[in-house]
Amino acid sequence: DEDGSIGSLSTASNVSGIRFTDFGNGTYLIEADGASPGTREDLLDAFLDSELIYTTRPHWSGVLNGTDGIKVVAVSREGATGNELAPNNSTADGTGGDEDTGIEIAVTYIGVTVQPLADLPELNSTSSIVQENLNVSSFDEPLVVPIGNLLGMTLPDDDGSQSLSMTLTGFPTNAQDLSFLDSLPGVTTTTDIATGTVTISGTNATAVLQVLATLTVTLANDDDRNFVVSINGTTADSNGIDGTTGPELFALNHTVIVQAVADTPIIDV
């Protein structure tokens, strides 16, 4: 596809009488040695049935049918030469249309279906530390916590085939602001300071994570209470397959430690 080879072939073990050559770019040659055609055919059959391994590209899933599948070109060569070999393209000899009777080629395609498997999101860290009032003592500086960035949520599968939906709870209900700084088409968000709840969802997990990274919460002045953001959600993968896998459930937590900062006293004389 546009990203290169979707997978690769390899052998389970070295098989006597079989030569396996990888030419790169998804092209391979398998040859059999043997005293007779029957022996060579048996070797190839046994090898193809049990020794050949197809490994997909990481996180790839989908369906390849017809000429989009794995192309197999089988070549057989006749050992006879000279008068022992039937003449090329001879109607009288029954070889009309056969431009080379010493070789025959058959082409077929193997369909490939790789079921998707949803990957679960992960957090870069389970906790972070911030300072009350942005570590300012002389006046109440609003503390804007870039919680989306601090979460550092990632998803191994970044090809856009996974959906992602989650609810985040535990934000301070006395916060000054709870909002996303950015938005993207196909990503739905809600924020509710009164309940300390945020929701975000979309069919493209990569886009969801981009928007999530812009989530901020502005704490109330002089608020040095720690809080725990609990994340509960689902993800599913539908890459190239009818229907989807999942949904897979996940639950994560991130603790925000708000370090207290003493205010500078004011003396009225």
Side-chain angles (χ1 to χ4, degrees):
D1 61 14
E2 62 276 6
D3 294 320
S5 297
I6 62 168
S8 61
L9 296 177
S10 60
T11 60
S13 61
N14 293 322
V15 179
S16 178
I18 292 291
R19 285 173 287 148
F20 178 83
T21 306
D22 181 357
F23 291 110
N25 299 319
T27 303
Y28 306 86
L29 176 64
I30 303 172
E31 300 173 286
D33 297 321
S36 67
T39 299
R40 294 190 290 272
E41 184 176 334
D42 289 343
L43 279 171
L44 283 173
D45 286 342
F47 176 80
L48 295 175
D49 286 342
S50 62
E51 300 295 331
L52 193 61
I53 299 172
Y54 173 68
T55 304
T56 62
R57 187 175 64 219
H59 306 301
W60 185 90
S61 61
V63 178
L64 299 177
N65 290 322
T67 55
D68 289 329
I70 299 175
K71 183 179 182 179
V72 180
V73 180
V75 180
S76 65
R77 291 182 175 83
E78 177 56 59
T81 59
N83 293 332
E84 296 181 355
L85 185 65
N88 300 331
N89 195 21
S90 172
T91 302
D93 293 292
T95 60
D98 189 345
E99 299 296 337
D100 188 346
T101 58
I103 187 172
E104 291 296 333
I105 300 175
V107 179
T108 191
Y109 295 85
I110 300 175
V112 176
T113 299
V114 179
Q115 295 286 351
L117 178 63
D119 294 294
L120 296 180
E122 301 172 347
L123 297 182
N124 181 53
S125 173
T126 57
S127 66
S128 54
I129 300 174
V130 296
Q131 285 78 40
E132 172 195 348
N133 292 343
L134 209 61
N135 203 21
V136 175
S137 300
S138 57
F139 62 93
D140 290 337
E141 177 73 20
L143 173 56
V144 180
V145 180
I147 186 63
N149 185 58
L150 294 175
L151 291 174
M153 184 177 288
T154 60
L155 195 67
D157 191 344
D158 60 358
D159 64 359
S161 64
Q162 284 195 211
S163 62
L164 187 59
S165 175
M166 71 188 88
T167 299
L168 299 85
T169 58
F171 292 100
T173 55
N174 66 338
Q176 298 183 59
D177 183 63
L178 180 61
S179 61
F180 292 93
L181 302 182
D182 198 4
S183 62
L184 287 174
V187 179
T188 302
T189 63
T190 66
T191 58
D192 187 348
I193 294 178
T195 61
T197 302
V198 170
T199 67
I200 182 169
S201 62
T203 57
N204 185 324
T206 301
V208 171
L209 294 180
Q210 288 176 355
V211 175
L212 177 64
T214 71
L215 178 63
T216 64
V217 56
T218 304
L219 303 186
N221 292 337
D222 298 318
D223 190 352
D224 59 7
R225 291 174 297 173
N226 302 334
F227 60 95
V228 178
V229 178
S230 297
I231 308 169
N232 292 277
T234 61
T235 182
D237 196 322
S238 60
N239 188 15
I241 308 292
D242 292 334
T244 61
T245 60
E248 298 288 339
L249 305 177
F250 64 90
L252 301 165
N253 291 293
H254 184 90
T255 300
V256 178
I257 301 170
V258 184
Q259 295 178 330
V261 177
D263 293 324
T264 302
I266 299 176
I267 301 175
D268 267 339
V269 177

